[in-house]
Amino acid sequence: MSERAPADLTPDQIRAELTDWVNRHWDPVMSLRDWRELLLDSGWAVPSWPERWHGRGLPAWTDEVVGSELLRLGAVGVPVGSGTWLAAPTILAHGPDELRERLLRPTLTGEQTWCQLFSEPGAGSDLAGLSTSAVLDGDTWVINGQKVWNTSAHHADLGMLLARTDSNVPKHQGITYFVLPMKQPGVQVRQLRQMNFHASFNEVFLTEARVPKDNVIGVVGQGWTAALTTLAYERRFAALRRPGYSSAPGRALDEARAEADDHFATYSWYPQRAGRPDLVIEHARAAGVADDPVIRQAIARLLTMHRVSIWTAERARAARALGARPGAEGSIGKLAASNIARESAKVHAMIAGAKGMLTGPDSALGGVIAEVLMSVPGQSIAGGTDEIQKNILAEKVLGLPGEVRVDKDIPFSQIKHRG
Ligand SMILES: Cc1cc2nc3c(=O)[nH]c(=O)nc-3n(C[C@H](O)[C@H](O)[C@H](O)COP(=O)(O)OP(=O)(O)OC[C@H]3O[C@@H](n4cnc5c(N)ncnc54)[C@H](O)[C@@H]3O)c2cc1C
């Protein structure tokens, strides 16, 4: 089969061509970096991307088919994390070419890791109300302000930073999307301790931090458009799963497993945040209440919700495979995930009773239930709260009148509550 595959290939044809290529090139003795460079050169790293930018110009569904097949063949794909899932597709969509040239490759090899610097103490749901400022000084943007809830900022190389470059225009229009080098004196990162005992988030203080003039994603003053792309991808990847790497020996695999260990250490509580509906039957059996009709009904209701949301996600995936960009279905999925997480926490609490509050090895499912109860609230906040998803669905899907937004059309500097 030719190196340039036609766009109407079936999944089996894609798998066959990939297998042939992997058999000829995969060598677990090579470094992970060298392997990923090869993968990028071949276009198999991100097959749906344009050929000019490391892809093969294939349909969107091929990314998932190729990702799973690489694992099945015992090889490794692109790195997990916000670089691959958020920064790279945003840069691909909005450019400019110079940034695509400079940043896509090191992001997709895992050489550069990222964090998202969007939220601020005074700007979460109302993200466009952010007040971190960026002022151009010669060839450098000078940044001042504070970000918060920034996952993985304590070990990221680069930050996806939203900052205000013009206060004299309405709030959505004066924002610019920067690539912030994290390792510099003007960036101070402080970890936050959560009620579930983990520390995944940070506060990031920006004091005269420096960004090279050309580190702008998209266009100066039009960062909001690019930010919406990142947020749409974020909803799509709300459920993170660790790749099932082969346990075979080899340098590339060792490095990929270490990379995933490092990445998922931050996210170890995310399965609990999703409520662990997969554990309810095991939990009911272990607690001796699997015959209780009330518990059985609660479990059945929960698992029905879970199954329906899987079908909705599959329908959305099929739409994307036909070329649709992530859209309102991301909000539906995100909202469903919150409802399932809450319902699941409720069912686990019914099963465990007061024992669900205990932690440690002797407690319900080794402390997992307590962690579920303390982590589930985060599900309905991260990546846009439930209320914000409902607003999006009400306006974009149901066509209901928009929310009253009194500060939308006046210059940001004239909005009263700031300061
Ligand atoms: C697990 C997790 C990971 C996160 N990771 C990151 C990250 O990596 N980077 C980053 O920048 N941020 C991150 N965040 C922050 C997250 O994006 C914000 O917490 C979120 O957008 C909500 O903002 P807020 O906390 O300021 O709440 P607020 O916006 O102050 O909201 C408070 C309450 O008011 C409601 N509300 C607000 N506006 C409206 C409205 N218009 N209509 C109806 N109700 C409304 C909200 O729904 C909520 O219940 C993360 C958060 C969590 C929980």
Side-chain angles (χ1 to χ4, degrees), residues 102-152:
R102 185 153 52 91
L103 292 177
L104 290 179
R105 183 171 273 271
T107 299
L108 295 173
T109 59
E111 191 193 341
Q112 302 269 25
T113 60
W114 290 74
C115 66
Q116 186 188 14
L117 303 174
F118 280 18
S119 306
E120 297 184 0
S125 302
D126 178 25
L127 185 57
L130 59 88
S131 54
T132 290
S133 69
V135 176
L136 191 59
D137 176 16
D139 277 348
T140 312
W141 291 96
V142 180
I143 317 285
N144 283 289
Q146 188 200 333
K147 298 289 172 175
V148 72
W149 311 125
N150 312 111
T151 312
S152 294

Side-chain angles (χ1 to χ4, degrees), residues 337-362:
S338 299
N339 288 335
I340 290 163
R342 261 191 303 272
E343 191 68 22
S344 191
K346 208 165 88 189
V347 175
H348 279 303
M350 281 171 78
I351 295 168
K355 285 187 197 151
M357 291 187 284
L358 301 176
T359 58
D362 297 336

Side-chain angles (χ1 to χ4, degrees), residues 229 232-233 236 320 324-330:
T229 301
Y233 279 101
R236 177 174 159 189
R320 281 199 301 276
R325 281 191 159 210
E329 80 278 355

Side-chain angles (χ1 to χ4, degrees), residues 71 194 207 211 216 279 285 326 336 342 369 403 416:
L71 293 176
Q194 300 145 219
T207 314
V211 173
V216 170
L279 290 182
R285 287 197 177 122
R342 261 191 303 272
I369 301 309
E403 232 192 316
K416 287 280 186 292

Side-chain angles (χ1 to χ4, degrees), residues 86 115-127 147-152 160 194 200-201 231 234 267 269-270 273 377-388 391 403 405:
L86 305 182
C115 66
Q116 186 188 14
L117 303 174
F118 280 18
S119 306
E120 297 184 0
S125 302
D126 178 25
L127 185 57
K147 298 289 172 175
V148 72
W149 311 125
N150 312 111
T151 312
S152 294
M160 293 166 250
Q194 300 145 219
S200 314
F201 307 113
L231 292 172
E234 188 173 3
Y267 297 96
W269 57 281
Y270 273 47
R273 185 182 97 167
Q379 180 72 44
S380 27
I381 303 172
T385 66
D386 287 2
E387 288 76 16
I388 295 304
N391 281 347
E403 232 192 316
R405 295 182 175 100

